[in-house]
Amino acid sequence: MTPQGAQGRRPDGAAFVIAAGLVALGALLVWEGGRIPNKQGYAGVGPGDVPWLVGWVLVALGLGTAWQGWRNPGPPRPKQQAVPLLWLLGGMGVMVATIHWIGFVLGAAILFTCAAAAFGERRFPRAILSGLALGLFIYLVFDVLLQLNLPAGPIEMLIFGR
């Protein structure tokens, strides 16, 4: 095995960046999970156990990603395109900035439409209607059925009277 990887190419730098992020997030979860007072119930599982377990799994995945990045650099990646990323970031920014005024359903429709545009969809009326339907369904499940409060806007007030 050479430092150039299994195929004679350089190790995969993107894999090392992803691995570092996974290990850092995992270490943070392990550390924070250890700080939660662990009042175990009758099953012996407490509130700090799940973040601790997820953290160690993320650390293991990060180490595995680094190992694979060293051994199998993978094929060359295509050039990144900025426009789809800007559609996604713009949709998320608009949703976060306006969700308390326009409500969850309209915010989800905006985010869905921007995500669809990022993936190449140019039939915006179809994307908007799909986003509205999906947002309404998610609102129904989470706010009405599970009673987890989501921001209500004009559509939610019209349909559910909240």
Side-chain angles (χ1 to χ4, degrees), residues 52-122:
W52 183 82
L53 176 66
V54 170
W56 280 114
V57 168
L58 286 175
V59 168
L61 288 172
L63 294 175
T65 301
W67 178 254
Q68 285 298 317
W70 176 260
R71 292 200 58 211
N72 303 314
R77 289 182 179 76
K79 182 181 176 206
Q80 296 298 314
Q81 298 178 6
V83 174
L85 181 62
L86 291 175
W87 270 110
L88 288 172
L89 291 175
M92 285 189 280
V94 169
M95 182 179 182
V96 167
T98 62
I99 193 166
H100 290 291
W101 298 302
I102 65 174
F104 179 82
V105 174
L106 286 176
I110 291 169
L111 180 59
F112 183 88
T113 304
C114 290
F119 284 102
E121 178 64 57
R122 294 298 175 251

Side-chain angles (χ1 to χ4, degrees):
M1 174 82 74
T2 67
Q4 298 296 320
Q7 289 88 17
R9 294 191 308 232
R10 296 176 56 210
D12 190 356
F16 292 133
V17 171
I18 293 168
L22 287 170
V23 169
L25 182 60
L28 178 67
L29 283 173
V30 168
W31 183 57
E32 289 293 332
R35 294 180 55 202
I36 296 173
N38 209 2
K39 298 177 181 168
Q40 298 175 342
Y42 68 93
V45 177
D49 292 335
V50 172
W52 183 82
L53 176 66
V54 170
W56 280 114
V57 168
L58 286 175
V59 168
L61 288 172
L63 294 175
T65 301
W67 178 254
Q68 285 298 317
W70 176 260
R71 292 200 58 211
N72 303 314
R77 289 182 179 76
K79 182 181 176 206
Q80 296 298 314
Q81 298 178 6
V83 174
L85 181 62
L86 291 175
W87 270 110
L88 288 172
L89 291 175
M92 285 189 280
V94 169
M95 182 179 182
V96 167
T98 62
I99 193 166
H100 290 291
W101 298 302
I102 65 174
F104 179 82
V105 174
L106 286 176
I110 291 169
L111 180 59
F112 183 88
T113 304
C114 290
F119 284 102
E121 178 64 57
R122 294 298 175 251
R123 297 171 292 192
F124 290 111
R126 177 182 283 184
I128 293 169
L129 290 175
S130 298
L132 285 170
L134 187 60
L136 191 60
F137 175 74
I138 293 170
Y139 184 86
L140 176 72
V141 169
F142 281 91
D143 195 82
V144 176
L145 296 177
L146 297 176
Q147 296 181 352
L148 299 172
N149 293 331
L150 294 175
I155 293 178
E156 295 87 352
M157 297 290 203
L158 180 66
I159 295 173
F160 300 106
R162 295 180 189 208

